[in-house]
């Protein structure tokens, strides 16, 4: 809102004593145009000297001999968005051209007929005073509004109290939304429905208050800080509450409120970031057993509104498609909205750590994670892998549970057949193989057991290794192997015979069959 453009309407100006006897001879529909300035027409080329919102006073002395120029002047003045034209006839022109009045009516451009006895100076001073008084009163009232908003901030009222106050001041519904159009406070069903009809793409680059016209008018004010869009302050005129249009004071109130709302959002973000770091530091210290004592750990947990017990179980949630911080933020919000204070959550790198009380509570959490897995992935906007450690026997032992959960996730990433939610106890032989991963003895074992088969597949473009993996996953049932590979049963028989020949073993030999299975499983770590 440009403060130098605060004026009075033509309708209000006509109520002044100085305009006594003035008649509206055309453009009555435009009497709500605002007068920001006053000018007097002394020259024929007045268009070069007028500006929007002016009330132009004239005797048409300069056009007294050219009534057709009077007609041509009206649409040009309307195009310049003047407030209106006040004419004192009789002295230099007897009558205002009828055609000029018709055009003014069409353009809703007010033409006023001043009484012959009125001097322009008599009109100028009261209108200027009225504009000045209006601006002074408006600025005084807007300053009062500003002070009320500041009081809300100082008392820690937040966005909810701010929007309540704005709704009271302008008698319209008000809501603050973030940049993704998510309400940051209470919103009525009517307001939510009204906002659904807004084309928000039109406001992505908005930098100032924008009006939405229609049967249910509204206003959208962008909340900007450092060139970044933080959200919008949105208001609409609910027919059930108010039928009045937005006044200039309403617009100023909304702009003032938008400034305060922006500061509140920035402050909330800073506070959330501080809380996030404090929580994450606690979680990291918990899983790394970095507390000097159990009492200190429990005191810090209490400071975060968490309940810490001696026996806990750690879950590690990995975002497979992690790209940005807000994915982790969204997942953490989901967890904290749906789990109580007994369940501790925080970030560790690209992962989310979730610490649960041991025993029955941990078992319930495992069931909950299984049932809500799809919702968890939707909240994170990513595929997830969840690993769970064993129950700890003490707070110091939480570190062991965390490492087990981490190993469960690592194995699940390498071995899809384990599933998306894996408990450390379910890893079986993979726990041993992971311990040996990368060691020379493991590499030698794989080479001695499988190398001829690997070389044959590489030279001939075959995939006997895949058949072997299916053989072990199906427990040696060749019919199921054939079904899983979509080949004939005899084809599987041939492949298994070829594998035995290449490796010089027999699948009927339990020791050889076991050694080969271990080597196949160990390959996933190579």
């Amino acid at each position: 809102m440009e403060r130098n453009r605060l004026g009075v309407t033509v309708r209000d100006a006509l109520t002044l004593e100085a305009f006594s006897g003035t008649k509206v001879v055309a453009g009555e529909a435009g009497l709500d145009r605002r007068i920001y300035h006053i000018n007097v027409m002394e020259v024929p080329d007045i268009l070069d000297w007028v500006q929007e919102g002016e009330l132009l006073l004239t005797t048409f002395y300069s056009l007294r001999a050219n009534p057709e120029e009077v007609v041509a002047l009206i649409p040009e003045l309307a195009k310049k968005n003047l407030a209106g034209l006040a004419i004192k006839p009789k002295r230099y022109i007897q009558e205002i051209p009828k055609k000029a009045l018709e055009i003014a009516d069409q353009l809703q451009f007010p033409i006023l007929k001043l009484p012959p006895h009125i001097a322009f100076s008599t009109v100028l001073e009261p209108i200027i005073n009225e504009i000045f008084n209006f601006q002074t009163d408006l600025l005084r009232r807007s300053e009062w509004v500003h002070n009320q908003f500041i009081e809300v901030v100082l008392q820690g009222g937040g966005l909810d109290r701010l929007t309540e106050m704005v709704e009271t001041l302008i008698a319209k519904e008000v809501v603050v939304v973030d940049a993704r159009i998510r309400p940051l406070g209470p919103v009525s069903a009517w307001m939510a429905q009204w906002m659904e009809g807004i084309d928000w793409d039109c406001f992505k680059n908005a930098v100032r208050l924008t009006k939405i016209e229609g049967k249910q008018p509204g206003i959208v004010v962008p909340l900007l800080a450092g060139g970044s869009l933080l959200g919008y302050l949105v208001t609409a005129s609910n027919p059930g509450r108010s039928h009045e249009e937005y006044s200039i004071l309403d617009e100023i109130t909304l702009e003032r409120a938008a400034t305060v709302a922006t500061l509140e959002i920035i402050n909330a973000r800073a506070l959330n970031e501080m809380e996030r770091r404090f929580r994450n530091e606690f979680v990291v210290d918990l899983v790394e057993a970095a507390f000097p004592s159990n009492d200190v750990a429990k005191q810090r947990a209490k400071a975060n509104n968490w309940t810490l017990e001696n026996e806990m179980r750690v879950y590690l949630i990995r975002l497979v498609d992690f790209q940005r911080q807000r994915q982790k933020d969204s997942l953490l919000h989901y967890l904290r909205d749906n789990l109580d204070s007994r369940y501790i959550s925080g970030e560790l790198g690209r992962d989310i750590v979730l610490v649960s009380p041991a025993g029955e509570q941990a078992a319930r959490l495992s069931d909950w994670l299984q049932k809500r897995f799809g919702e968890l992935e939707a909240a994170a906007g990513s595929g997830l892998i969840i690993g769970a450690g064993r129950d700890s026997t003490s707070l110091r032992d939480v570190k062991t549970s965390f490492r087990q959960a981490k190993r469960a996730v690592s194995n699940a990433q390498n071995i899809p057949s384990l599933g998306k939610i894996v408990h450390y106890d379910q890893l079986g032989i993979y726990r041993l193989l992971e311990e040996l991963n990368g060691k020379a003895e493991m590499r030698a074992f794989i080479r001695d057991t499988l190398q001829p088969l690997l070389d044959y597949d590489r030279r001939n473009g075959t995939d006997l290794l895949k058949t072997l993996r299916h053989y072990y996953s199906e427990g040696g049932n060749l019919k199921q192997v054939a079904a899983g590979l979509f080949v004939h049963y005899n084809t599987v028989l041939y492949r298994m015979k070829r594998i035995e020949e290449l490796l010089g073993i027999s699948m009927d030999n339990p020791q050889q069959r076991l050694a080969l299975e271990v080597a196949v499983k160990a390959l996933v770590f190579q």
Side-chain angles (χ1 to χ4, degrees), residues 504-520:
I505 65 169
S506 171
M507 287 300 188
D508 293 330
N509 185 315
Q511 290 184 347
Q512 292 178 336
R513 188 170 64 246
L514 175 60
L516 186 58
E517 181 177 5
V518 172
V520 169

Side-chain angles (χ1 to χ4, degrees), residues 300-347:
R300 284 186 57 185
K302 187 176 181 180
N304 284 290
N305 296 317
W306 284 323
T307 302
L308 189 61
E309 300 182 12
N310 290 330
E311 297 178 0
M312 311 289 284
R313 181 187 296 178
V314 178
Y315 294 78
L316 187 70
I317 306 176
R318 176 152 299 168
L319 283 71
V320 179
D321 310 306
F322 175 72
Q323 293 180 327
R324 52 185 65 88
Q325 176 64 36
R326 74 181 183 194
Q327 291 175 274
K328 293 191 293 183
D329 293 340
S330 179
L331 181 54
L332 283 169
H333 285 152
Y334 183 90
L335 292 171
R336 289 167 185 164
D337 287 344
N338 290 277
L339 298 174
D340 60 40
S341 61
R342 291 171 297 178
Y343 300 94
I344 299 168
S345 56
E347 302 174 46

Side-chain angles (χ1 to χ4, degrees), residues 22 31 77 183 254 266 284 342 351 412 495 500:
T22 299
L31 289 180
L77 294 178
L254 290 169
I266 292 173
V284 171
R342 291 171 297 178
D351 301 324
R495 291 181 181 178
E500 289 178 317

Side-chain angles (χ1 to χ4, degrees), residues 33 61 71 87-88 108 124 170 174 176 206 258 347 367 417:
R33 289 174 178 250
Y61 171 79
V71 174
I87 303 172
K88 187 165 75 170
Q108 299 182 4
L124 285 167
I170 70 174
V174 179
V176 176
E347 302 174 46
D367 291 340
S417 61

Side-chain angles (χ1 to χ4, degrees), residues 2-60:
E2 297 179 34
R3 298 295 182 262
N4 65 335
R5 298 175 67 78
L6 304 179
V8 297
T9 65
V10 177
R11 190 187 307 277
D12 289 339
L14 289 172
T15 64
L16 298 175
E17 184 178 350
F19 279 90
S20 177
T22 299
K23 296 181 179 180
V24 181
V25 294
E28 187 171 0
L31 289 180
D32 288 323
R33 289 174 178 250
R34 290 195 171 272
I35 303 172
Y36 308 130
H37 314 281
I38 299 185
N39 200 351
V40 177
M41 179 176 175
E42 297 178 337
V43 293
D45 58 343
I46 191 63
L47 290 175
D48 294 334
W49 309 100
V50 296
Q51 57 184 315
E52 180 180 352
E54 282 187 344
L55 177 64
L56 186 62
L57 308 180
T58 184
T59 61
F60 275 137

Side-chain angles (χ1 to χ4, degrees), residues 130-167:
E130 188 70 14
I131 292 173
F132 176 78
N133 290 336
F134 175 80
Q135 291 180 347
T136 301
D137 181 60
L138 197 60
L139 292 175
R140 177 183 59 80
R141 291 162 65 191
S142 68
E143 188 67 22
W144 178 85
V145 168
H146 175 73
N147 290 335
Q148 295 301 304
F149 291 159
I150 293 299
E151 191 66 23
V152 169
V153 174
L154 294 177
Q155 293 180 0
L159 288 177
D160 289 351
R161 181 70 186 98
L162 176 67
T163 54
E164 286 177 8
M165 180 172 288
V166 178
E167 286 186 340

